[in-house]
Amino acid sequence: MHAKRLKYVAILIITGLCASTAQAVKPTTNRDTLTEGRRIYEQTCAWCHGIGGEADGPAGWFIGRYSSPRPRNFLKDGYKLRSTASGDLPTDQDLFTLITRGIPGVMPAYRALNEQERWQVIAYLKSWNPAFEEEKPVPLTLPQAPSAPTETAIHNGRNLYVKYDCRVCHGDNGEGDGPEATAGHLRDGNNLPIRATNLTDPSAWKNGASAHDLFRTLMTGLDGTPMPSYANEFAGREEALWELVWYIQSLSGQQRK
Amino acid sequence: MKAILFLALVLSAVQDLSPLHAEPQTGMLVGRVVYMGPAIPEQVVEVTRDSAFCGTQATLRPMTLHPKTRGLEGAVVSIDGVASPLSNPAVPALVLTNTRCAFTPRLAVGVVGQQVEIRNDDPIMHNTHISMGPRTLVNVAMIPASRPVGKPLKQSGIYTVKCDAHKFMQAHILAFTHPFFSLTDETGAFRIPSLPPGEHQVTIWHDTLGTVQQSVTIAAQGETHVTLEYPNHADARKQ
């Protein structure tokens, strides 16, 4: 195993693909990758996502045919949890992170699969959607969080929360009870009613709760939901976006940690 | 070396011939889309957000008919299946503006690869959410005085444009992989030039009335005139 890892590392260095390998090194794809990926998929994921990837697995129906979120349909749907611009596909690394972390409340974390198995299952689910061949997803530049927030920064963040109408969906105090949410107006990509996230309870967040994760969520938006990308608003104004991130963290008392 | 020379000769020969050869005969489809069924009346919906600016009511028009001709405005007529490379990549962007709590235009037609440029002229925030079925093309927050956002159309088909903060705002974008499409004007009229003669399947789309198809035969030269009639909406909606 160790030797194998070293080999991958060597290959990557040789081919100069050193970027975005922070979490795991993606092995090269060969003929067995898809065969293996399929086996793992059918054992592990098909329950919800369906044998053919069309979100029609038995447990997928059980979760609730008419309630959001439906499991992802790998043939047609776009992706929520990405490091890429709104409308773009996720990078391989995004998919790897997602499968490793799972999605709170709806999809298990798959740390039980070893890294190679996770890569194999990713290759398999991507093979259903030709867009992965045609489009080359590029991650947005996401900087590291600057030093700890001040009271003033959080106060500025609150003003941005108001100015950018987060309240319309997430409510005045972030509890997910904004007027458009309570009126039942919000719909997901399958036209099913969807809730606006409660921003005071990070344990339920899908895209992670660190400052860096929140920054990414606001830059990318969550495709297939009403949550828009604010990348255009914050372009060249990273400082302001950190303030908003800190304000959101303050809603659950996180900033004191 | 010899081969290259030969190729060069052939190429120059082709070039010489092309003015005579390359002008294949094409015809133009000219016509009108009409609707004889009962007009669907305007719908007035209550506006519950930003009423100070948007007003307390919004009027939705399921269809716009020309009183004299019964021509249907805002239908898209297209002909698929004609082999034609899209020759003009430098088409200008389709501009889609949030104005007075509505999208202008409500319907845009373009080609795959063409940029959509989203703008907001209103003093309030909108989000512009463009999707095709379950896949998002782009969903961006547009605060007052935002700079425009550009995104190319990725695939052919019908895109829905929404603002999740203002439920009554809706628009559509239709994208094609060829130039054989036309949007009907206020009298229902359209024209599609440069069509090879022969039989073609014409597709007509309207956001309320849906899709209908009909075949037409394009004459070898000049204009072929047709009147395309939408069936009564009660029938059209069933399919």
Side-chain angles (χ1 to χ4, degrees):
Chain A
M1 183 60 204
H2 188 65
K4 233 187 205 167
R5 276 294 285 276
L6 279 179
K7 202 172 89 192
Y8 294 144
V9 174
I11 291 169
L12 278 161
I13 292 171
I14 291 162
T15 50
L17 291 171
C18 301
S20 75
T21 53
Q23 291 171 57
V25 181
K26 186 188 166 196
T28 46
T29 309
N30 58 38
R31 218 181 303 140
D32 296 338
T33 313
L34 290 182
T35 320
E36 272 306 293
R38 174 175 186 167
R39 184 186 60 75
I40 299 159
Y41 179 88
E42 290 180 355
Q43 269 173 12
T44 328
C45 322
W47 267 106
C48 292
H49 290 281
I51 285 283
E54 295 187 273
D56 54 356
W61 290 127
F62 181 71
I63 292 174
R65 184 170 182 169
Y66 299 114
S67 69
S68 157
R70 300 284 312 136
R72 199 62 69 250
N73 177 328
F74 296 125
L75 279 64
K76 322 192 266 207
D77 290 359
Y79 288 78
K80 275 186 193 177
L81 313 173
R82 314 166 327 275
S83 60
T84 56
S86 176
D88 288 0
L89 291 169
T91 64
D92 287 354
Q93 194 69 54
D94 291 338
L95 291 168
F96 188 90
T97 308
L98 159 78
I99 290 165
T100 309
R101 278 185 179 174
I103 304 175
V106 288
M107 179 173 139
Y110 285 103
R111 288 198 188 82
L113 297 174
N114 69 36
E115 291 191 354
Q116 186 184 8
E117 290 170 326
R118 279 176 250 163
W119 286 121
Q120 287 164 334
V121 81
I122 288 168
Y124 184 60
L125 70 86
K126 282 172 65 181
S127 71
W128 270 311
N129 187 345
F132 276 106
E133 295 286 317
E134 292 150 18
E135 299 168 24
K136 290 276 158 277
V138 185
L140 302 174
T141 329
L142 301 169
Q144 288 305 313
S147 56
T150 60
E151 284 300 321
T152 323
I154 292 172
H155 180 78
N156 293 345
R158 165 70 194 178
N159 291 339
L160 289 169
Y161 184 82
V162 173
K163 181 177 172 201
Y164 289 172
D165 267 354
C166 313
R167 297 190 296 176
V168 172
C169 299
H170 293 286
D172 201 21
N173 298 309
E175 286 170 342
D177 55 354
E180 290 304 297
T182 49
H185 286 168
L186 303 179
R187 294 294 146 115
D188 74 1
N190 296 309
N191 207 22
L192 296 169
I194 185 173
R195 288 200 159 101
T197 308
N198 179 347
L199 300 179
T200 68
D201 177 15
S203 68
W205 296 352
K206 300 173 175 175
N207 215 5
S210 72
H212 197 254
D213 290 333
L214 285 167
F215 190 102
R216 185 181 62 244
T217 298
L218 292 167
M219 290 292 284
T220 62
L222 301 184
D223 285 357
T225 85
M227 174 69 201
S229 154
Y230 283 85
N232 188 49
E233 269 52 57
F234 287 108
R237 295 176 54 227
E238 277 162 17
E239 194 49 45
L241 184 43
W242 288 119
E243 291 175 341
L244 178 57
V245 163
W246 286 322
Y247 169 69
I248 293 166
Q249 289 194 322
S250 79
L251 293 172
S252 52
Q254 269 194 84
Q255 101 280 13
R256 272 172 239 118
K257 281 180 220 144
Chain B
M1 189 58 204
K2 244 186 210 160
I4 292 172
L5 208 78
F6 177 69
L7 201 70
L9 278 170
V10 170
L11 282 177
S12 62
V14 169
Q15 246 169 21
D16 281 353
L17 282 176
S18 57
L20 300 172
H21 248 278
E23 288 283 311
Q25 286 186 323
T26 62
M28 178 172 338
L29 182 64
V30 179
R32 194 185 307 282
V33 176
V34 297
Y35 175 71
M36 298 301 181
I40 305 175
E42 291 181 347
Q43 269 176 288
V44 177
V45 293
E46 231 178 288
V47 173
T48 46
R49 278 197 50 67
D50 298 315
S51 305
F53 176 74
C54 299
T56 51
Q57 291 185 328
T59 306
L60 307 180
R61 270 196 191 175
M63 57 171 61
T64 306
L65 289 176
H66 192 261
K68 280 211 191 91
T69 59
R70 299 287 295 177
L72 182 66
E73 181 178 349
V76 181
V77 182
S78 62
I79 295 178
D80 292 319
V82 179
S84 150
L86 255 190
S87 51
N88 186 7
V91 277
L94 291 174
V95 178
L96 182 74
T97 311
N98 292 268
T99 15
R100 302 213 59 84
C101 305
F103 293 111
T104 314
R106 307 288 155 91
L107 175 60
V109 282
V111 293
V112 169
Q114 190 168 1
Q115 284 280 328
V116 179
E117 190 179 298
I118 306 164
R119 298 170 166 273
N120 182 14
D121 284 353
D122 287 350
I124 55 169
M125 193 193 93
H126 292 291
N127 74 306
T128 301
H129 188 164
I130 310 181
S131 47
M132 184 183 295
R135 190 169 178 195
T136 303
L137 177 76
V138 73
N139 178 10
V140 280
M142 300 294 296
I143 62 160
S146 297
R147 69 191 107 190
V149 173
K151 192 85 182 179
L153 295 168
K154 280 191 182 157
Q155 54 189 125
S156 60
I158 303 162
Y159 290 94
T160 316
V161 186
K162 291 198 310 181
C163 168
D164 295 289
H166 302 98
K167 202 179 148 46
F168 52 89
M169 291 174 65
Q170 261 229 19
H172 288 93
I173 301 173
L174 267 66
F176 297 93
T177 51
H178 56 72
F180 307 112
F181 57 86
S182 175
L183 183 58
T184 60
D185 67 13
E186 68 282 3
T187 68
F190 67 89
R191 52 179 52 221
I192 304 179
S194 310
L195 286 164
E199 194 173 325
H200 295 282
Q201 194 73 5
V202 179
T203 305
I204 313 141
W205 179 90
H206 181 266
D207 63 353
T208 305
L209 295 172
T211 305
V212 288
Q213 289 194 315
Q214 189 177 319
S215 75
V216 294
T217 304
I218 303 293
Q221 256 174 346
E223 300 182 350
T224 303
H225 288 261
V226 289
T227 300
L228 302 169
E229 187 180 332
Y230 249 109
N232 190 320
H233 68 90
D235 307 330
R237 273 177 177 178
K238 269 181 218 142
Q239 46 163 337

